[in-house]
């Protein structure tokens, strides 16, 4: 799998030693919105420091571009916890920027 393309608003997340590309496609964001509520509310909660761990992992899960069959949502959440919020914040910033600005 190739690396993330910043021009497409993509980010990377390490899960189980594998680098995953987070691609905020229309389908991915619609799925995230269906589960997590309106995306603008998600952005507001993130800006206010009120974005929950489950919401963060959910957004990442829906945005995994080429999801390996063996990847589970739990593994994504565990990777976020293992790396810490500071380490995954750059990926979150990229996704939230894409949500706000579009391409």
């Amino acid at each position: 799998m190739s690396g993330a393309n910043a021009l497409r608003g993509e980010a990377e997340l390490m899960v189980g030693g594998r680098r995953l590309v987070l691609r905020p496609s229309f389908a991915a964001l619609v799925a995230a919105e269906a589960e997590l509520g309106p995306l603008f509310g998600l952005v507001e909660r993130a800006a206010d420091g009120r974005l929950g761990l489950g919401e963060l992992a959910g957004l990442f899960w829906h945005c995994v571009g080429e999801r390996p069959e063996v990847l589970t949502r739990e593994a994504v959440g565990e990777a976020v916890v293992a790396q810490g919020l500071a380490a995954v914040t750059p990926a979150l910033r990229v996704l939230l920027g894409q949500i706000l600005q579009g391409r």
Side-chain angles (χ1 to χ4, degrees):
M1 177 181 304
S2 62
N5 181 342
L7 296 176
R8 291 179 59 181
E10 297 173 346
E12 292 182 349
L13 179 69
M14 290 297 292
V15 178
R18 174 181 267 161
R19 188 174 309 276
L20 301 176
V21 174
L22 303 178
R23 182 172 296 130
S25 66
F26 176 75
L29 294 177
V30 167
E33 189 171 53
E35 177 187 338
L36 304 170
L39 295 177
F40 192 73
L42 187 79
V43 171
E44 286 182 326
R45 288 191 299 282
D48 291 342
R50 297 181 296 113
L51 187 66
L53 183 59
E55 292 175 306
L56 176 61
L59 178 61
F60 286 172
W61 171 254
H62 289 294
C63 289
V64 173
E66 295 176 20
R67 191 178 300 149
E69 272 188 44
V70 297
L71 182 67
T72 65
R73 185 174 176 146
E74 270 186 62
V76 171
E78 290 296 328
V80 168
V81 171
Q83 293 172 59
L85 293 177
V88 301
T89 296
L92 177 62
R93 259 193 221 121
V94 169
L95 296 180
L96 294 178
Q98 179 66 16
I99 290 168
L100 288 172
Q101 296 173 4
R103 293 269 185 243

